[in-house]
Amino acid sequence: MSAGVGQNGAVPPATPAVPACDVWWADPALASPALLGLLDEDERARHARFRLAADRDRYAVAHSLARLVCARAAGCAPRDVAFTLHCDHCDRPEPHGKPRPAGPAAGWEISITHSGSRVGVAVARGLPVGLDVERVAESRDLEGLASYALTGIERAALESRPEAERTGGFFTYWARKESLLKATGAGLSGGLTPITVSGPHESAAVLSWDPPGAPDEVWITDLDAGPDYRAALSVLAGGPVPVTEHDAADLLKSCR
């Protein structure tokens, strides 16, 4: 599915569906100078601080795509979409935390993720969302990462799988748990080990979540981001939420 930018930069509004979530996927190779024009001053400054071109491309595509999908959802021009950074989980004075749409897109919720050649943005009306994608990296210190991220139950389940499945299984765990923390707004500072999720060979589910970070309700599902990636979406909702996935290539190319 694709959508273009109309006259004066306005994007036709999406057909409302409540509750529902849209997930847009893009390749950072779609980065272009035109996308930088969609970023605000602070975002352009942060983009310029990345040393590696690959990191600059992922950032430019992710944050311009966030504006485009919010504009599409709200039926406004991308330049009219602003974001505030919101954190309820620490006392740091500088702006930080989960981005929340403001202006005409206020009331929508987003989550941004990127890894390797995948960039993703999830958007939903009035439902906090968390999206995470992870590239499966065989060279990582799996044992060390597992001790940091997984509970004893999860480590035992992972070790019971055939060795060839363990690296992918670990990143399934990580994507699920980080998506949950992103939905609450805590991010990784909320800690991965208070959460126990189902095994990587099972449908995504939260088995337990120790307070104080646990939300009253949450729904989680795995997404297919390609054979070398693991992805998950979490929504602070009491039951399943319809999810529609989109290829963002045409939306990004319409800005060139």
Side-chain angles (χ1 to χ4, degrees), residues 176-188 190-192 195 209:
R176 289 175 179 177
K177 298 174 91 167
E178 186 166 353
S179 77
L180 290 163
L181 291 168
K182 291 171 78 171
T184 66
L188 291 177
L192 293 163
I195 306 169
W209 194 332

Side-chain angles (χ1 to χ4, degrees), residues 86-92 96 181 183-187 189-190 212-213:
H86 185 79
C87 178
D88 290 328
H89 303 277
C90 71
D91 297 324
R92 286 167 50 193
H96 67 285
L181 291 168
T184 66
S189 65

Side-chain angles (χ1 to χ4, degrees), residues 11-16 22 67-76 105 108 123-125:
V11 180
T15 301
D22 289 277
R67 268 196 175 72
L68 288 166
V69 300
C70 285
R72 180 181 181 275
C76 66
W108 291 86
V123 59
R125 177 73 176 179

